[in-house]
């Protein structure tokens, strides 16, 4: 009998293959590794190389991107002091290059996710499911909608759905009327931004969803916590660990997102207030 021992501390969860196929151990049984597990472990081994947002988008050219959306995003960055004023006068290829959304002159997946004119032919998983349900489960819905498109289109559709279906209250302060949603707009915007920014787009069997119930709002994405965070410590001050670094960087420059890991804590504080 021949025994091969591999120190897990040295080899971690990197996938290894035999006869061209990857395997893994489940208790005492050796099993063929599912494709999703294999791809996840490849990304863990070489995260930068296999990052979805950093890969060149197949069959996509700069002409497939929305010039108006790109210029609007750059203008937001200039207006908020995160991009130099001369950025607004540059060509679209130069703007995309400055935003690190081109690779060898070709758009990356991040460029498509952020600025594609339409996404169904490239990435149908770029969608947002929205539902307004009666009660506390999904048995009876009052409003139901599905939207596809780039980040800015999905974000706008999600916020519009929330404004249409959440209760709005008004209070007169002096001579001005101040209106508020029953859940702080800033908290909802942060949650939706994070869900769209940090989802695992390489997982095509799901979509970001927004569900309104009588007692709560749920915004869910196909994703996972980075290794450094969990459901408890994410509520405390922590560093930022974006899953899609290029997408997060552009959203930071356009002020949709901060880079300090403060989003969850800020949402909690807003709701407590």
């Amino acid at each position: 009998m021949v025994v091969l021992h591999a120190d897990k501390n040295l080899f971690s969860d990197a996938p290894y293959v035999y006869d061209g196929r990857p395997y893994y151990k489940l208790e005492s049984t050796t099993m063929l590794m599912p494709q999703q597990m294999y791809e996840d472990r490849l990304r863990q081994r070489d995260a930068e190389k296999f990052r979805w947002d950093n890969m060149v988008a197949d069959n996509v050219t700069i002409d497939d991107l929305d010039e108006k959306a790109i210029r609007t995003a750059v203008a937001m960055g200039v207006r908020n002091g995160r991009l130099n004023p001369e950025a607004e006068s540059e060509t679209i290829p130069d703007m995309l290059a400055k935003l690190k959304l081109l690779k060898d002159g070709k758009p990356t997946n991040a460029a498509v996710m952020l600025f594609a004119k339409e996404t169904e032919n490239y990435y149908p998983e770029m969608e947002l499911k929205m539902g307004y349900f009666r009660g506390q489960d999904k048995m009876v819905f009052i409003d139901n909608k599905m939207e596809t498109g780039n980040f800015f289109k999905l974000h706008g559709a999600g916020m519009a759905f929330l404004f249409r279906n959440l209760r709005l209250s008004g209070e007169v302060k002096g001579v001005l009327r101040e209106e508020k949603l029953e859940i702080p707009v800033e908290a909802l915007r942060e949650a939706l931004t994070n869900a769209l920014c940090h989802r695992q787009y390489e997982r095509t069997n799901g979509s970001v969803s927004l569900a309104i119930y009588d007692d709560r709002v749920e915004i869910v994405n196909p994703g996972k916590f980075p290794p450094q965070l969990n459901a408890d410590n994410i509520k405390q001050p922590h560093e930022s660990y974006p899953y899609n670094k290029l997408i997060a960087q552009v959203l930071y420059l356009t002020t949709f997102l901060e880079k300090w890991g403060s989003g969850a804590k800020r949402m909690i504080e807003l709701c407590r207030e």
Side-chain angles (χ1 to χ4, degrees):
M1 181 176 69
V2 177
V3 177
L4 174 66
H5 172 76
D7 189 338
K8 186 176 181 180
N9 293 326
L10 295 177
F11 293 95
S12 186
D13 292 323
Y16 297 95
V17 299
Y18 171 73
D19 197 22
R21 295 183 176 185
Y23 293 86
Y24 76 110
K25 199 82 169 176
L26 183 63
E27 296 181 347
S28 60
T29 305
T30 300
M31 303 179 66
L32 189 65
M33 185 177 290
Q35 181 179 350
Q36 188 66 61
M37 182 186 293
Y38 179 62
E39 291 176 355
D40 284 346
R41 293 192 179 184
L42 283 176
R43 291 186 184 92
Q44 290 172 18
R45 186 179 71 185
D46 193 346
E48 288 302 310
K49 180 180 178 181
F50 291 99
R51 259 194 20 240
W52 178 88
D53 65 335
N54 196 36
M55 293 180 178
V56 172
D58 293 332
N59 303 316
V60 178
T61 68
I62 292 177
D63 290 337
D64 295 314
L65 306 181
D66 189 331
E67 178 176 345
K68 182 179 178 181
I70 296 168
R71 292 194 179 279
T72 299
V74 169
M76 290 175 63
V78 170
R79 186 168 61 249
N80 291 283
R82 294 185 178 179
L83 285 173
N84 293 324
E86 57 267 22
E88 289 191 83
S89 61
E90 293 178 336
T91 65
I92 293 299
D94 285 343
M95 287 181 179
L96 293 171
K98 288 279 180 66
L99 295 173
K100 299 182 180 179
L101 296 178
L102 297 182
K103 215 171 186 181
D104 299 324
K106 299 177 181 179
T108 60
N109 286 335
V112 175
M113 188 273 171
L114 289 161
F115 299 121
K117 294 175 184 175
E118 61 89 17
T119 59
E120 290 186 24
N121 291 336
Y122 311 124
Y123 303 112
E125 64 271 22
M126 289 183 190
E127 62 182 15
L128 177 64
K129 292 191 300 185
M130 295 165 277
Y132 176 24
F133 301 94
R134 178 178 296 151
Q136 299 178 10
D137 55 34
K138 291 184 171 73
M139 296 300 292
V140 180
F141 67 83
I142 302 170
D143 194 357
N144 188 28
K145 187 177 181 183
M146 174 78 79
E147 187 69 76
T148 61
N150 62 42
F151 169 87
F152 298 98
K153 184 178 180 181
L154 296 182
H155 194 276
M159 293 307 298
F161 190 84
L162 289 164
F163 270 96
R164 186 166 74 244
N165 289 301
L166 290 177
R167 290 186 292 270
L168 187 68
S169 64
E171 179 183 357
V172 176
K173 292 187 176 181
V175 295
L176 299 176
R177 176 181 172 85
E178 184 177 295
E179 295 186 332
K180 294 182 179 180
L181 287 182
E182 55 189 309
I183 298 176
V185 173
E186 295 86 352
L188 293 167
R189 184 180 292 114
E190 180 79 20
L192 184 58
T193 299
N194 284 342
L196 292 168
C197 174
H198 301 308
R199 75 151 286 182
Q200 290 179 279
Y201 285 98
E202 63 272 14
R203 295 194 170 186
T204 58
N205 58 344
S207 61
V208 177
S209 64
L210 188 165
I212 302 173
Y213 302 91
D214 285 352
D215 63 338
R216 68 195 188 279
V217 171
E218 290 184 357
I219 299 175
V220 181
N221 74 349
K224 60 183 180 181
F225 282 122
Q228 302 90 341
L229 297 176
N230 56 49
D232 293 318
N233 66 17
I234 195 172
K235 302 172 187 177
Q236 308 303 322
H238 60 270
E239 294 296 319
S240 176
Y241 305 103
Y243 188 78
N244 300 300
K245 293 181 181 179
L246 289 176
I247 295 171
Q249 174 65 11
V250 173
L251 294 181
Y252 165 75
L253 293 173
T254 56
T255 68
F256 269 81
L257 193 72
E258 295 301 330
K259 293 175 67 176
W260 301 102
S262 58
K265 189 171 186 295
R266 187 163 63 251
M267 284 188 283
I268 292 170
E269 291 174 350
L270 286 166
C271 291
R272 280 177 176 164
E273 288 175 8

